[in-house]
Amino acid sequence: MEKLMILSILTLIAIFGSTGYFMLSKTKKSQKFMRAFLRLNLLIFIPVIVFGVITLVPQMASAAENAPQGGNGLGFLAAGLSTGLASIGAGLAVSQVGAAAIGAISEDETILGKTMIYLGLAEGIAIYGLIISIMILGRL
């Protein structure tokens, strides 16, 4: 079953890679070929995923019945959410600050140090989320 899921993920990567390649070459022939190739890949990918989900659901249900009944599930969820949401926030902050920093540096090269400080502060958001998740996991 794992091999089937790996095959479907590789098919998805092939879909996106080939679609990107054919989108960059802007000829009519490549666009027609891209559409046909995308249909073929989706016709392969979707049944593989559906088959994988159908065969994995009973395995997951039996694994859930045999799982220990501790109350740690919400703690793990909180730790994952704190890290994930902090990383998303850091990514948004770094994208905005980085774009502004590049624009500012292009006008005046002497402010490079100040812009690096701002980028470091934006990146610190992810570290705060990681520290909170470590503290949550320490209590479990």
Side-chain angles (χ1 to χ4, degrees):
M1 180 49 53
E2 291 84 19
K3 292 178 184 177
L4 186 63
M5 296 306 285
I6 291 171
L7 177 68
S8 63
I9 291 171
L10 290 176
T11 305
L12 184 63
I13 291 170
I15 289 170
F16 290 131
S18 61
T19 304
Y21 172 74
F22 288 122
M23 286 178 70
L24 291 176
S25 60
K26 299 200 181 234
T27 62
K28 295 270 185 187
K29 185 178 180 181
S30 67
Q31 289 180 351
K32 287 181 182 178
F33 184 72
M34 177 188 66
R35 288 184 186 128
F37 188 70
L38 185 63
R39 283 187 199 119
L40 175 68
N41 278 326
L42 287 176
L43 286 174
I44 294 170
F45 178 73
I46 292 173
V48 167
I49 288 296
V50 169
F51 178 73
V53 168
I54 289 171
T55 57
L56 284 178
V57 167
Q59 292 176 0
M60 288 187 283
S62 66
E65 291 172 0
N66 299 333
Q69 296 297 326
N72 296 337
L74 289 178
F76 289 125
L77 185 64
L81 281 174
S82 68
T83 303
L85 293 175
S87 298
I88 290 171
L92 292 172
V94 167
S95 69
Q96 297 293 320
V97 172
I102 289 173
I105 292 170
S106 67
E107 292 181 10
D108 185 13
E109 292 88 13
T110 60
I111 59 173
L112 176 67
K114 292 178 185 176
T115 59
M116 288 298 134
I117 291 172
Y118 291 131
L119 276 171
L121 289 173
E123 191 64 38
I125 297 170
I127 295 170
Y128 295 142
L130 184 63
I131 289 170
I132 294 299
S133 68
I134 290 172
M135 290 171 58
I136 290 171
L137 291 174
R139 288 199 168 193
L140 295 179

